[in-house]
Structures are given as structure tokens and as C-alpha cells.
């Protein structure tokens, strides 16, 4: 049995990164589809499902609630026997690990049930606020409470079955609060109205939720500003294909932008439901060429070097902030990233800790309450901490393609959403990362 290295040195690539890649299935779509399929009448067959820690945690959580699922992770197929909105288990202790989507979505699902449920996770999860979701559930008559300071998990739910109603949800912390509530709405007796308060973050993820719900027969009327009305239609089991992960694709197009290469991403086009495909547009503003392909197969090709600094609001594509910050190191002008204060509550504080690690590489970085400014500077070798954050590891590893001596601590954290990342990066950059194959994760 292979031993997992605790540190991975990234070899510099010998030239521009050139190649074609199809990323694994979208984690965000996979977990939304799993929830809708679990609540549906009948069975569903999901194809293209992502095999990762986050999706496996979601499957185990649904199984703890009595849902029957058959997962063939190697093929990306998950067969889900829906419960018709009637949660079988009357009690459950669900370990959500580091999966924010799991604890937020399944907390809402537990509100439909009849019984007592506790959801918990990693030490970092106990620092990620969920109080706004709890308050929304309380407005709907669900007895829910948090057990850590600051309205953080564990969350304990005593439910007698949410019948629907009106709930106000703060929109400035996480779109997943509203997404979790919305997905259970079709299974309530009276339907559900969600009234958003404050500024909404990560709007493309809310649109993604509506599209997935619609595929399973749910309906969300969002014609009124800051109000969603979800009708009590229930869901129907279907065959559902999951598109590749646009957030994962960002690392490979970034590699092209940093080295002046050319990378084609298969399976993602302008019609993708994932907002993070627009990261390619950001690279175009920085000087890359971008070609979109829709027929007969969707795809996007990014080529050339990102040389221009930009001033950009990344609220809608905030998962790609670490990726852009790394690309910005190699531009000829400063880059200012703003309106992403909510990413301080991710797996780590992605503003503070990203600034810390970029400075280790020699970069000049100014941290702001809602973002950061990166000033191109001479870079040098460094040992990079990843804070058990998959996106920190994957994005910061790209610096090693161009700078000698970049070591990544705890490379296994990428398994949260992309277990095969090191193999795929090695293949497209033509570097040897065999010491950290997917088999060792």
C-alpha cells in the first residue's frame, strides 16, 4: 500500500501548457441532483456524477436518512430510489465532514422529516456560520438550533414535518441556505416562499438550483425581486446527466494563461448552468484569446498569456478567486479583486490565508475586507500551506509550473472535490506527479 506524501513538490513545466481535458462532474450539480432525486417519486439515474469526498459525504448523509442509493463511482453513475418527500428515518446523526453543501442542504431536508437529527462536521465546519439557515427553518415551524458559538454547527433538529410557509433568508453569507430551503419546497404541503434580505452572493449558484429543481419537476417562480415562490409540485425520478465542473476547469485554463499555452475544456460551453465558466471571460480581459464551441459538442479553448491586470467584482464566481489571484502574479499590472467578503467563511478564510501564502512566494499583496490586490513582484520558492482547503491547494500549485521549488503541504485535501487532480495536472502540463497518483488519496 502506497503512503501518502504530506508534501508535494511541483516541477516546473518545460514550456507552454497545451492540451485538452474534460474535468470531472460538477460537485455543485451532483449534490443538488442527489437531493432532488432523493426527494422524488420513483427512481433516478444520475450520470457523470463526481466521485469525491463531498459527494460521498452527501450520499452517506442521505443513506442515514433512509434513502436507498446505489453508486458506481468508477462509472459516475448513481441510482437513487426516491422517497416521495417522506423521509424514512426518524433519527440520524450525520457526519458532514467538511462539506458545506451537505450540512446546509440536509439540514433543510431534515425539516421535512419527523424525528430528531444532528448534523456535525470537522473543527473548521464548527466555525462556519449556519445560524441564518436555522432562523429561516424556525420561521417555518421547525425546531432547530446550533450548538457552537456564533451560530455554527453542530445543528440539532426536532422536526414534525415542515408544511411550508414564508421564510426570510439572509443572502450575504451563502447562497446554499436559500438553495437548501428551495429544494425542499416542492415537497411541502403548502409550498414555500423565500424572501431574501440583504445583498445576494453567488447568484449563479441560485440559478443552478432552480434549473436542477426544474429538471426533476419542481418549479420556482422568481419573477419578483428578492422573492422566490416554490409550488408544492413534488419531484419525479428521471435520468439526469451532470456536466463537467467549471470550477475545476479554471485551474487548467489558468495554466494556459500563465504559460502562454493553449487548453481546450470539453463539455462546457456558453450554455453551461455553472457561472464559473465565465472565468474564461476574465482571462480574456487579461489578454488571453477565448474560443467557445457549442456544436456538435460544447467546449471552450483558452490560449495566450494573461498579461493585463484588472479591477474585478468576483462575487458571482467567487470559487475562482484563488485561481485568478495566482494568474495575477504573472501579469504586468496590479489586479484588484473585490466584493467577495463571504469567502472568508469558506473551508478557510480565503482572503486572509490566500494573501499570506502569496506573500510567501514574494508577491506584494494588500488585503481588503472584501477582497485583495495583487501587485506583480519577483517570485521565489516557498512551502505553501493549504489549510485543508482543496481550492487553495489546486490554485497555488499552479505557481510551481513557473517557479522552481514550490512545495504544497497536505496535497490530499484536493480529494474534497477532485481526487484525480494531481494526475490530471501532471498529464496536461507534462510533469511528473506520479508520486501522488489518485490511488494514494
Amino acid at each position: 500500500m502506497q503512503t501518502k506524501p504530506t508534501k508535494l513538490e511541483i516541477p516546473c513545466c518545460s514550456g507552454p501548457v497545451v492540451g485538452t481535458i474534460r474535468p470531472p462532474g460538477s460537485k455543485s450539480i451532483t449534490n443538488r441532483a442527489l437531493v432532488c432525486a432523493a426527494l422524488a417519486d420513483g427512481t433516478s439515474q444520475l450520470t457523470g456524477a463526481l466521485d469525491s469526498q463531498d459527494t460521498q459525504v452527501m450520499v452517506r448523509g442521505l443513506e442515514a436518512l433512509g434513502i436507498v442509493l446505489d453508486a458506481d463511482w468508477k462509472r459516475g453513475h448513481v441510482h437513487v430510489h426516491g422517497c416521495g418527500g417522506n423521509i424514512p428515518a426518524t433519527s440520524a446523526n450525520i457526519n458532514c465532514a467538511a462539506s458545506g453543501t451537505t450540512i446546509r442542504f440536509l439540514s433543510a431536508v431534515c425539516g421535512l422529516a419527523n424525528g430528531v437529527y444532528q448534523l456535525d462536521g470537522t473543527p473548521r465546519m464548527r466555525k462556519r456560520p449556519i445560524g441564518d439557515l436555522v432562523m429561516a427553518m424556525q420561521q417555518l415551524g421547525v425546531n432547530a438550533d446550533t450548538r457552537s458559538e456564533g451560530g455554527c454547527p453542530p445543528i440539532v433538529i426536532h422536526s414534525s414535518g415542515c408544511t411550508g410557509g414564508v421564510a426570510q433568508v439572509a443572502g450575504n453569507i451563502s447562497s446554499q441556505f436559500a438553495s437548501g430551503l428551495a429544494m425542499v419546497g416542492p415537497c411541502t404541503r403548502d409550498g414555500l416562499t423565500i424572501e431574501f434580505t440583504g445583498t445576494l452572493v453567488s447568484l449563479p449558484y441560485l440559478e443552478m438550483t432552480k434549473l436542477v429543481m426544474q429538471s426533476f419537476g419542481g418549479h420556482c417562480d422568481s419573477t419578483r425581486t428578492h422573492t422566490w415562490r416554490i409550488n408544492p409540485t413534488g419531484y419525479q425520478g428521471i435520468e439526469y446527466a451532470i456536466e463537467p465542473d467549471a470550477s475545476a476547469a479554471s485551474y487548467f485554463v489558468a495554466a494556459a494563461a500563465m504559460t502562454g499555452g493553449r487548453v481546450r475544456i470539453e463539455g462546457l460551453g456558453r450554455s453551461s448552468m455553472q457561472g464559473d465558466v465565465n472565468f474564461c471571460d476574465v482571462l480574456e480581459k487579461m489578454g488571453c484569446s477565448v474560443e467557445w464551441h457549442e456544436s456538435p459538442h460544447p467546449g471552450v479553448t483558452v490560449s495566450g498569456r494573461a498579461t493585463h491586470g484588472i479591477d474585478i467584482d468576483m462575487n458571482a464566481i467567487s470559487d475562482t478567486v484563488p485561481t485568478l489571484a495566482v494568474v495575477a502574479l504573472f501579469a504586468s499590472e496590479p489586479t484588484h479583486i473585490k466584493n467577495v467578503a463571504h469567502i472568508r467563511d469558506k473551508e478557510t478564510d480565503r482572503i486572509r490565508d490566500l494573501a499570506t501564502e502569496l506573500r510567501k512566494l514574494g508577491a506584494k499583496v494588500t488585503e481588503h475586507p472584501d477582497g485583495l490586490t495583487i501587485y506583480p513582484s519577483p517570485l521565489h520558492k516557498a512551502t505553501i500551506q493549504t489549510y485543508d482547503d482543496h481550492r487553495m491547494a489546486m490554485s497555488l500549485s499552479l505557481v510551481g509550473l513557473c517557479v522552481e521549488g514550490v512545495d504544497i503541504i497536505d496535497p490530499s485535501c484536493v480529494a474534497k472535490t477532485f481526487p484525480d487532480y494531481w494526475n490530471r495536472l501532471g498529464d496536461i502540463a507534462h510533469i511528473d506527479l506520479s508520486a501522488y497518483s489518485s490511488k494514494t488519496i
Side-chain angles (χ1 to χ4, degrees), residues 12-19 252 255-263 303-305 401-402 427-430:
C12 289
C13 54
S14 59
V17 173
V18 177
F252 302 102
M258 292 161 55
T259 64
R262 180 181 178 87
V263 170
S303 58
R305 195 179 296 274
L401 301 179
C402 305
D427 288 345
I428 201 164
H430 303 291

Side-chain angles (χ1 to χ4, degrees), residues 389-412:
D389 186 340
H390 56 133
R391 301 212 183 279
M392 292 285 283
M394 289 187 281
S395 57
L396 288 164
S397 69
L398 299 175
V399 182
L401 301 179
C402 305
V403 177
E404 291 186 359
V406 173
D407 294 335
I408 300 296
I409 298 296
D410 187 25
S412 65

Side-chain angles (χ1 to χ4, degrees), residues 283-308:
L283 295 181
E284 188 171 34
K285 292 177 182 177
M286 297 181 77
C288 294
S289 296
V290 178
E291 304 169 65
W292 295 93
H293 323 283
E294 294 297 338
S295 181
H297 304 292
V300 59
T301 301
V302 175
S303 58
R305 195 179 296 274
T307 57
H308 311 314

Side-chain angles (χ1 to χ4, degrees), residues 250 253-254 256-258 260 278-290 302-312 314 317 320-337 374-376:
S250 74
V253 294
M258 292 161 55
N278 295 319
F279 182 74
C280 296
D281 294 330
V282 177
L283 295 181
E284 188 171 34
K285 292 177 182 177
M286 297 181 77
C288 294
S289 296
V290 178
V302 175
S303 58
R305 195 179 296 274
T307 57
H308 311 314
I310 55 174
D311 186 322
I312 185 167
M314 293 193 72
I317 55 171
T320 64
V321 167
T323 322
L324 181 61
V326 166
V327 174
L329 295 174
F330 299 90
S332 58
E333 304 155 325
T335 290
H336 177 52
I337 298 169
I374 300 106
Y375 302 86

Side-chain angles (χ1 to χ4, degrees), residues 188-423:
T188 60
R189 185 191 67 196
D190 302 326
L192 180 64
T193 297
I194 299 174
E195 297 177 347
F196 294 97
T197 62
T199 302
L200 299 181
V201 300
S202 303
L203 279 172
Y205 285 96
L206 293 172
E207 292 300 317
M208 176 194 298
T209 299
K210 290 193 289 185
L211 289 171
V212 175
M213 290 171 59
Q214 181 178 317
S215 295
F216 285 85
H219 177 71
C220 178
D221 179 358
S222 57
T223 53
R224 291 179 57 194
T225 303
H226 280 64
T227 301
W228 281 11
R229 169 65 187 173
I230 297 100
N231 298 326
T233 57
Y235 292 120
Q236 296 298 318
I238 60 170
E239 292 188 5
Y240 187 80
I242 295 162
E243 64 186 35
D245 194 301
S247 304
S250 74
Y251 309 115
F252 302 102
V253 294
M258 292 161 55
T259 64
R262 180 181 178 87
V263 170
R264 176 184 170 109
I265 304 295
E266 293 185 337
L268 289 172
R270 279 291 192 194
S271 59
S272 168
M273 70 172 70
Q274 299 171 76
D276 281 358
V277 296
N278 295 319
F279 182 74
C280 296
D281 294 330
V282 177
L283 295 181
E284 188 171 34
K285 292 177 182 177
M286 297 181 77
C288 294
S289 296
V290 178
E291 304 169 65
W292 295 93
H293 323 283
E294 294 297 338
S295 181
H297 304 292
V300 59
T301 301
V302 175
S303 58
R305 195 179 296 274
T307 57
H308 311 314
I310 55 174
D311 186 322
I312 185 167
D313 182 331
M314 293 193 72
N315 186 278
I317 55 171
S318 58
D319 277 348
T320 64
V321 167
T323 322
L324 181 61
V326 166
V327 174
L329 295 174
F330 299 90
S332 58
E333 304 155 325
T335 290
H336 177 52
I337 298 169
K338 60 189 177 185
N339 199 19
V340 291
H342 62 284
I343 70 173
R344 291 186 181 276
D345 293 314
K346 294 288 188 177
E347 284 83 346
T348 190
D349 182 334
R350 284 190 185 153
I351 295 176
R352 180 197 64 200
D353 297 333
L354 183 58
T356 296
E357 300 310 310
L358 294 177
R359 290 180 185 128
K360 286 182 183 178
L361 291 159
K364 180 184 175 183
V365 182
T366 301
E367 180 183 341
H368 309 290
D370 73 334
L372 62 168
T373 302
I374 300 106
Y375 302 86
S377 306
L379 303 177
H380 52 69
K381 67 180 181 179
T383 298
I384 301 298
Q385 295 291 338
T386 54
Y387 307 87
D388 196 28
D389 186 340
H390 56 133
R391 301 212 183 279
M392 292 285 283
M394 289 187 281
S395 57
L396 288 164
S397 69
L398 299 175
V399 182
L401 301 179
C402 305
V403 177
E404 291 186 359
V406 173
D407 294 335
I408 300 296
I409 298 296
D410 187 25
S412 65
C413 68
V414 303
K416 186 176 192 293
T417 55
F418 199 164
D420 202 32
Y421 176 72
W422 302 117
N423 272 342

